[in-house]
């Protein structure tokens, strides 16, 4: 056997959402900041992302957490999220997966009852406080990038008429959409329909909305549509839809972060309040509103999001030099549109 590329991953899930943490085989990539590294992956060389995130080495569900040396001396490690559509600046579930993998494998020494890991991301520093007991990470609380409501918007669709949305930033840009507008509920049996409608909506909105970030151009652009609803107990029910066509299994950390900015803008929350986010399969994150902030011209919120992860495997991935699919492929029977 001869491989021209070899990588190792620790495979983790966060409330059901897969985050495969790359622990070997990648040293670094160009860029003096994490934003520059992100831009390099998305505009210069995306071969690593395509190699890992496509078939036959992967599938539509889940992400890869790329760890790099930190650019900011205040951080322990750099983090970029690789997904089938592109590389992303930040993901709450994936940051929790990375924290769990780093501590439970001993890459960073675990200290009980709490260990702090600080990630350098293109969206800013993210402080993870891991609750630890008997060698296990039992909870990860993330101090997230400041979130803000940029503006409300509308988009016309042939299927559902005019759809209202909130353009928000929670680490990446979201269009938050009340799910009743598309005639669906956030339930497992509707996952395919939600994914199809959500990705189509995202693409339609992105045609008319550049979603510029006020301070960091590498963060510009609409990433996802997140459908939202309210459960009878007051919890936020969420379904983030990801290109090319799937539903997030977790309650979505960056989306929950963005939603808190909307709640604050409408005067529905105060510092100290907690919102429970519940996923399409019933997993939960807690989002605590820590206080006010500013991002460029926008009033923003500082939030802490908590959840738990579980390691389920370790994988070695290689590339045979004769493999006809070095950058992988996707098919609509599995991946959607």
């Amino acid at each position: 056997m001869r491989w021209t590329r070899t990588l190792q991953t620790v495979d983790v899930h966060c409330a059901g959402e897969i985050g495969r943490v790359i622990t070997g085989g990648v040293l670094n990539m160009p860029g003096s900041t994490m934003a520059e590294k992100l831009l390099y992956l998305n505009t210069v060389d995306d071969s690593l992302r395509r190699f890992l995130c496509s078939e036959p080495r992967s599938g539509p569900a889940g992400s890869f957490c790329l760890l790099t040396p930190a650019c900011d001396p205040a951080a322990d490690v750099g983090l970029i999220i690789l997904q089938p559509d592109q590389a992303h600046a930040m993901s709450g579930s994936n940051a929790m997966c990375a924290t769990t993998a780093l501590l439970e494998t001993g890459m960073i020494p675990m200290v009980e009852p709490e260990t702090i890991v600080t990630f350098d991301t293109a969206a800013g520093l993210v402080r993870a406080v891991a609750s630890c007991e008997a060698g296990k990470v039992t909870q990860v609380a993330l101090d997230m990038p400041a979130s803000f409501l940029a503006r409300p918007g509308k988009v016309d669709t042939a299927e559902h008429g005019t759809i209202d949305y909130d353009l928000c930033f929670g680490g990446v840009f979201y269009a938050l959409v009340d799910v009743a507008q598309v005639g669906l509920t956030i339930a497992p049996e509707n996952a395919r329909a939600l994914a199809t409608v959500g990705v189509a909506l995202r693409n339609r909105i992105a045609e008319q909305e550049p979603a510029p970030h006020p301070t960091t151009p590498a963060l510009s652009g609409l990433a996802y549509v997140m459908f939202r609803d309210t459960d009878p107990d007051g919890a936020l029910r969420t379904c983030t839809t990801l290109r090319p066509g799937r539903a997030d299994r977790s309650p979505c950390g960056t989306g929950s972060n963005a939603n808190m900015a909307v709640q604050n803008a409408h005067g529905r929350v105060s510092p100290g309040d907690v919102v429970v986010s519940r996923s399409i399969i019933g997993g939960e994150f807690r989002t605590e509103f820590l206080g006010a902030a500013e991002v460029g011209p926008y009033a923003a919120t500082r939030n802490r999001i908590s959840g738990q992860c579980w390691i389920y495997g370790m994988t070695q991935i290689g590339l045979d030099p004769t493999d006809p699919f070095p950058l992988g492929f996707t098919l609509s029977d599995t991946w959607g549109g």
Side-chain angles (χ1 to χ4, degrees), residues 160 177-202 225-229 237-242 244-248 279-281:
H160 306 290
V177 175
D178 292 333
V179 72
Q181 294 185 95
V182 299
L184 293 167
T185 58
I186 299 173
E189 61 270 22
N190 294 332
R192 168 48 53 200
L194 288 165
T196 300
V197 172
V199 169
L201 262 180
R202 180 266 163 202
V225 160
M226 185 177 86
F227 291 115
R228 62 188 176 188
D229 202 354
R237 177 74 67 165
T238 73
C239 179
T240 295
T241 55
L242 302 94
R246 75 173 186 91
D248 192 340
S279 76
I280 193 170
I281 60 171

Side-chain angles (χ1 to χ4, degrees), residues 41-133:
L41 288 167
N42 281 329
T43 63
V44 178
D45 183 3
D46 72 343
S47 59
L48 175 66
R49 180 193 63 80
R50 294 170 64 191
F51 170 73
L52 288 173
C53 293
S54 306
E55 295 183 62
R57 285 163 287 275
S58 189
S63 309
F64 283 82
C65 304
L66 176 59
L67 304 178
T68 75
C71 299
D72 188 324
D76 298 298
V77 62
L79 176 65
I80 295 173
I81 313 304
L82 305 181
Q83 293 183 336
D85 60 333
Q86 64 180 74
H88 290 277
M90 176 55 190
S91 161
S93 65
N94 282 288
M96 293 181 197
C97 288
T99 303
T100 302
L102 287 166
L103 296 181
E104 291 193 10
T105 63
M107 293 180 69
I108 291 178
M110 181 185 293
V111 178
E112 299 182 11
E114 286 187 347
T115 308
I116 297 174
V117 179
T118 302
F119 292 101
D120 192 2
T121 81
L125 293 179
V126 174
R127 180 177 179 264
V129 179
S131 299
C132 307
E133 183 178 352

